């Protein structure tokens, strides 16, 4: 559409198109891209440098004394003496354990939350039952309650359930639904034409079957978008896992990373190790996003808006 | 995706469809899906009741008690609230949080709007949109640590550049006046792309021929922005604003990782103080009272914003 508009204007004898304003606009756009991306490069550059090298040449655009030492420390591959010698902390970091914990928690939350929310969304959008609008209004009101508010009482509850320091305890509060997910999917189900359902009913399919075989597959794009966003959100969550987990057995990457940061000596922070750990913690989401980027970016229009 | 590909293929001839139709009508008597609906909604309902409604009510109740997790909660009436009103650190936290929110939202909204408009008017490249969203993939913890490094007084590239330009190095996160603005900017960096994409989605709903018509009338980009883009985007902008304000009031991770409330409480945002009261000093009742205060503030802001921005109405129709 825009491309068409562009060509028509250039065909016309309107010579102001590559104007001053456009140059400024592109300059701003490039500046935005740089501000966005340079920190990513800086993480990589620092992670591949050695700590003494960073001290000597803080502004060198390339890695100083190219080394994988930072990554080895972050992954817990170095012995304590070796780590201290290279400017790191001696404390061991069970990186793979935290990674596994993050994967387990995020997968559990995403799979269950999306599935249960989709079921509820279907019931709100396509089934007819008494009190439907009232119950939905109640769910919507839940959207207004800020997460911080429920965190303390939820912690008390999880403690009473004996699930503190347990992966299930981290997942449980968001595992069944979020008002947002229900709202988001309901919106999609509402827009599917009635004929679709009727055609399947004629074929003798029950409503349960219609949901699983017709409507859910049709919703694959919004479900995918929501799933990736939910995965990113639960992967990046820090406050709740920090409250609930106390030991390595349930520690997720975000919490481990904050601890790694707190451990490094205040005088002479292990920047190389810290940036390596940072990169490793962020990498899975970058890869995930890489796979789904186009879809997400084009269907994010759904998110949060009516 | 078409229906045919995802449902069992229809074997009925066209005429038969009408013949079967009355049977279907008889099946869906009023309220007929009740049992099935109950089944479908059960898991979500369980989650809603147990982890949303119940904690909300319990949080309000806990705020009237003295509770330290170890012994049963003891009713103390309004004690926690009286203490809160007289607690200078609470007021400081609230003030610091407001300062953060104003800075964060102000800069973020303007920047996101600029990015969205540039994406709409300049190019619709989905690669650019992907790049803009990239920081959103990082956690607040990661973003906090990265900027802590970039802004480090001695070795950070940010300060190296400042020093290279001949200015004094700035202790961004260690200075009382700089700390909150710096944290606000870090979070703008992480979230602005997401906000921009939401606004971009709103912009896509504006028919392109409006811009074409305006162009024929000789309007420039600046004029079109104020006469077309802004009025038509207003409802979307209002909703996005409400969402981001609520979100940014809950700042915690970035602060916890970068300054941990310091220097001298300068960045002790409300959430941090609540967390510290609960888990640092085991005053769950007091922490709950402050949570209630936050809830009240947020609700008031939401309602006010909704009214002021007429979020529910559109200018399009």
């Amino acid at each position: 559409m825009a491309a068409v508009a562009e060509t028509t204007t250039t065909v016309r004898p309107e010579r102001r198109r590559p104007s001053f304003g456009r140059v400024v606009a592109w300059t701003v756009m490039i500046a935005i891209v740089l501000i966005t991306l340079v920190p990513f490069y800086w993480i990589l550059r620092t992670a591949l440098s050695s700590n003494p090298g960073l001290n000597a040449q803080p502004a060198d655009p390339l890695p100083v004394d190219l080394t994988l030492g930072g990554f080895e420390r972050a992954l817990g591959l170095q012995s304590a003496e070796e780590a201290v010698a290279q400017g790191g902390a001696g404390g061991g970091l069970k990186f793979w354990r935290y990674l596994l914990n993050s994967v387990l928690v995020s997968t559990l939350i995403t799979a269950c939350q999306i599935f249960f929310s989709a079921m509820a969304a279907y019931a709100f959008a396509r089934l007819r039952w008494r009190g439907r609008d009232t119950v939905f209004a109640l769910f919507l009101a839940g959207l207004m309650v800020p997460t911080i508010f429920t965190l303390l009482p939820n912690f008390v509850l999880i403690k009473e359930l004996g699930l503190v320091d347990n992966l299930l305890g981290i997942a449980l509060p968001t595992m069944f639904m979020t008002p947002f997910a229900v709202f988001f999917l309901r919106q999609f189900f509402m827009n599917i034409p009635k004929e679709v359902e009727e055609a399947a009913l004629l074929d003798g399919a029950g409503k349960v079957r219609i949901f699983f075989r017709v409507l859910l597959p049709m919703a694959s794009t919004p479900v995918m978008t929501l799933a990736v966003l939910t995965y990113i959100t639960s992967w990046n969550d820090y406050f709740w896992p920090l409250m609930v987990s106390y030991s390595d057995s349930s520690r997720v990457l975000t919490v481990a990373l904050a601890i790694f940061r707190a451990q490094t000596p205040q005088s002479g922070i292990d920047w190389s190790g810290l940036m390596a750990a940072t990169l490793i913690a962020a990498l899975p989401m970058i890869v995930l996003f890489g796979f789904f980027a186009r879809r997400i970016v084009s269907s994010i229009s759904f998110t949060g808006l009516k | 995706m078409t229906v045919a590909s995802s449902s069992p293929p229809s074997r009925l001839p066209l005429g038969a469809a009408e013949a079967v139709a009355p049977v279907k009508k008889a099946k869906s008597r009023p309220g007929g899906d009740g049992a099935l609906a109950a089944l479908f909604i059960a898991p979500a309902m369980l989650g809603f009741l147990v982890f949303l409604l119940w904690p909300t009510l319990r949080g309000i109740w806990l705020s009237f008690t003295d509770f330290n997790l170890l012994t049963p909660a003891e009713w103390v009436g309004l004690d926690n609230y009286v203490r809160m009103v007289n607690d200078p650190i609470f007021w400081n936290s609230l003030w610091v949080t407001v300062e953060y929110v104003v800075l964060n939202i102000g800069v973020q909204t303007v920047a996101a709007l600029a990015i969205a408009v540039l994406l709409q008017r300049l190019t619709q490249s989905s690669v650019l949109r992907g790049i803009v969203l990239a920081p959103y993939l990082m956690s607040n913890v990661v973003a906090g640590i990265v900027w802590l490094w970039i802004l480090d007084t001695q070795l950070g590239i940010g300060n190296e550049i400042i020093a290279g330009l001949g200015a004094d190095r700035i202790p961004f996160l260690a200075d009382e006046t700089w700390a909150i603005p710096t944290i606000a900017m870090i979070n703008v960096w992480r979230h602005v792309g997401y906000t921009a994409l939401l606004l971009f989605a709103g912009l896509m709903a504006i028919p392109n021929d409006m811009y074409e018509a305006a162009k024929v009338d000789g309007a420039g980009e600046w004029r079109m922005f104020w006469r077309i883009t802004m009025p038509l985007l207003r409802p979307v902008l209002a909703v996005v604003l409400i969402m981001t304000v609520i979100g940014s009031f809950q700042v915690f991770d970035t602060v916890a990782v970068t300054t941990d409330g310091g220097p001298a409480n300068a960045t002790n945002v409300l959430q941090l103080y609540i967390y510290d009261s609960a888990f640092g000093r085991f005053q769950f009742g007091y922490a709950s009272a402050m949570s209630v205060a936050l809830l009240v503030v947020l609700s008031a802001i939401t309602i006010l914003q909704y009214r002021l921005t007429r979020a529910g109405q559109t200018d399009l129709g």
Side-chain angles (χ1 to χ4, degrees):
Chain A
M1 197 92 167
V4 176
E6 227 47 74
T7 42
T8 42
T9 42
T10 34
V11 166
R12 279 174 161 198
E14 200 183 331
R15 303 212 116 227
R16 286 188 305 133
R17 270 315 92 188
S19 63
F20 177 67
R22 255 185 121 67
V23 173
V24 171
W26 270 110
T27 314
V28 172
M29 195 71 229
I30 290 166
I32 290 165
V33 168
L34 283 180
I35 295 171
T36 306
L37 291 184
V38 165
F40 284 87
Y41 171 72
W42 210 243
I43 300 174
L44 184 67
R45 172 262 181 197
T46 309
L48 290 170
S49 305
S50 76
N51 280 316
L54 290 175
N55 284 316
Q57 288 159 281
D60 193 322
L62 292 173
V64 198
D65 303 344
L66 194 67
T67 167
L68 289 177
F71 287 96
E72 286 167 1
R73 268 195 307 290
L75 293 172
L77 296 174
Q78 278 181 349
S79 66
E81 303 85 60
E82 228 181 330
V84 172
Q86 295 191 14
L93 202 68
K94 299 198 178 97
F95 175 81
W96 298 109
R97 173 84 232 194
Y98 310 140
L99 181 74
L100 181 69
N101 285 345
S102 277
V103 170
L104 287 176
V105 165
S106 305
T107 309
L108 188 64
I109 290 177
T110 306
C112 294
Q113 186 197 108
I114 304 282
F115 183 65
F116 293 146
S117 298
M119 280 169 61
Y122 173 70
F124 282 128
R126 312 298 292 198
L127 297 178
R128 292 198 293 155
W129 43 288
R130 256 200 295 154
R132 185 178 74 171
D133 295 341
T134 318
V135 176
F136 184 67
L138 202 65
F139 267 53
L140 262 194
L143 209 55
M144 304 277 291
V145 180
T147 2
I148 169 67
F149 190 71
T150 51
L151 287 186
L152 287 185
N154 264 337
F155 172 77
V156 177
L157 182 64
I158 291 294
K159 194 173 159 61
E160 283 163 356
L161 291 172
L163 289 173
V164 165
D165 210 17
N166 184 312
L167 290 180
L168 194 61
I170 299 180
L172 223 44
T174 43
M175 221 171 88
F176 296 99
M177 60 92 70
T178 60
F180 175 70
V182 174
F183 180 66
F184 179 91
L185 291 171
R186 172 179 173 271
Q187 211 61 17
F188 179 80
F189 285 135
M190 298 259 284
N191 289 332
I192 296 178
K194 241 190 155 48
E195 290 74 40
V196 171
E197 237 175 318
E198 276 164 6
L201 275 173
L202 289 183
D203 286 346
K207 298 223 160 152
V208 178
R209 202 184 154 88
I210 292 176
F211 172 68
F212 283 105
R213 303 297 290 275
V214 183
L215 295 182
L216 210 51
M218 283 181 82
S220 64
T221 302
V223 163
M224 190 74 74
T225 305
L226 189 61
V228 174
L229 290 176
T230 308
Y231 207 88
I232 293 173
T233 309
S234 45
W235 183 275
N236 287 340
D237 196 14
Y238 173 67
F239 202 172
W240 174 247
L242 176 70
M243 281 179 163
V244 181
S245 76
Y246 292 120
S247 71
D248 285 343
S249 65
S250 73
R251 193 161 288 159
V252 295
L253 268 180
T254 42
V255 179
L257 195 62
I259 290 173
F260 188 60
R261 134 102 183 102
Q263 271 178 356
T264 79
Q266 270 304 319
S267 52
I269 297 175
D270 175 14
W271 287 116
S272 146
L274 208 47
M275 286 303 114
T278 302
L279 187 61
I280 301 168
L283 204 58
M285 290 310 98
I286 296 174
V287 172
L288 181 75
F289 182 70
F291 274 114
F292 297 103
R294 195 169 282 268
R295 265 182 153 177
I296 297 169
V297 161
S298 39
S299 69
I300 222 163
S301 48
F302 257 51
T303 332
L305 305 173
K306 351 174 203 140
Chain B
M1 187 180 295
T2 60
V3 198
S5 66
S6 52
S7 66
S10 169
R11 281 183 211 90
L12 294 167
L14 258 163
E18 283 144 39
V20 186
V23 182
K24 188 223 94 204
K25 271 241 169 72
K27 247 169 120 187
S28 63
R29 59 203 181 282
D33 296 327
L36 186 64
L39 189 74
F40 265 64
I41 217 159
M45 192 49 123
L46 178 78
F48 177 78
L49 293 177
V50 177
F51 295 107
L52 198 59
L53 188 63
W54 169 240
T56 302
L57 299 175
R58 199 177 192 185
I60 295 170
W61 180 72
L62 280 177
S63 74
F64 295 105
T65 67
D66 192 3
F67 182 46
N68 59 10
L69 268 188
L70 304 171
T71 50
E74 205 179 305
W75 183 266
V76 294
L78 287 171
D79 280 11
N80 287 322
Y81 290 94
V82 172
R83 177 177 162 194
M84 186 173 82
V85 173
N86 294 314
D87 180 356
I89 304 181
F90 166 76
W91 289 108
N92 173 67
S93 293
L94 190 61
W95 171 242
V96 168
T97 311
V98 169
E99 191 187 342
Y100 164 83
V101 171
V102 169
L103 274 170
N104 179 271
I105 293 300
V107 176
Q108 175 165 258
T109 308
V110 172
L113 195 57
I115 294 173
V117 171
L118 284 175
L119 283 174
Q120 178 210 21
R121 304 296 299 155
L122 214 52
T123 160
Q124 306 213 335
S125 145
S126 62
V127 175
L128 267 185
R129 274 182 276 158
I131 289 175
V132 165
L133 194 61
Y136 187 71
L137 306 175
M138 287 188 171
S139 60
N140 284 323
V141 174
V142 167
I145 293 176
V146 170
W147 283 97
L148 196 63
W149 164 229
I150 291 177
L151 299 175
D152 185 79
T153 321
Q154 292 312 314
L155 299 171
I157 185 67
N159 261 314
E160 283 296 315
I161 293 172
I162 292 174
L165 294 173
D168 283 342
R169 288 171 185 267
I170 301 170
F172 285 99
L173 288 156
D175 184 275
E176 282 183 41
T177 38
W178 281 98
I180 277 289
T182 306
I183 290 169
M185 289 320 115
I186 294 174
N187 283 336
V188 167
W189 179 78
R190 175 161 127 73
H191 292 281
V192 73
Y194 187 72
T195 311
L197 279 191
L198 294 180
L199 294 178
F200 176 78
L203 291 177
M204 295 312 284
I206 301 175
N208 207 32
D209 29 319
M210 295 195 108
Y211 292 101
E212 295 300 315
K215 230 183 242 169
V216 171
D217 290 346
E221 285 291 338
W222 190 246
R223 209 180 152 83
M224 287 196 278
F225 174 77
W226 287 110
R227 289 295 171 79
I228 302 175
T229 308
M230 277 311 265
L232 293 182
L233 190 65
R234 193 189 45 75
V236 173
L237 191 62
V239 173
V240 169
L241 208 58
I242 291 175
M243 277 170 51
T244 48
V245 167
I246 291 181
S248 69
F249 251 101
Q250 306 186 46
V251 56
F252 175 80
D253 314 359
T254 320
V255 182
V257 172
T258 53
T259 62
D260 201 21
N265 279 332
T267 61
N268 193 356
V269 290
L270 200 47
Q271 295 241 49
L272 201 66
Y273 190 42
I274 292 174
Y275 176 79
D276 191 45
S277 302
F279 292 91
R281 278 169 278 140
F282 295 104
Q283 297 165 346
F284 268 75
Y286 187 47
S288 298
M290 290 192 284
S291 301
V292 172
L294 183 62
L295 180 70
V296 170
V297 170
L298 283 183
S299 309
I301 289 176
T302 311
I303 293 168
L304 197 70
Q305 246 183 340
Y306 199 83
R307 288 271 167 82
L308 286 179
T309 54
R310 294 173 294 143
Q313 300 161 27
T314 168
D315 289 345
L316 255 179

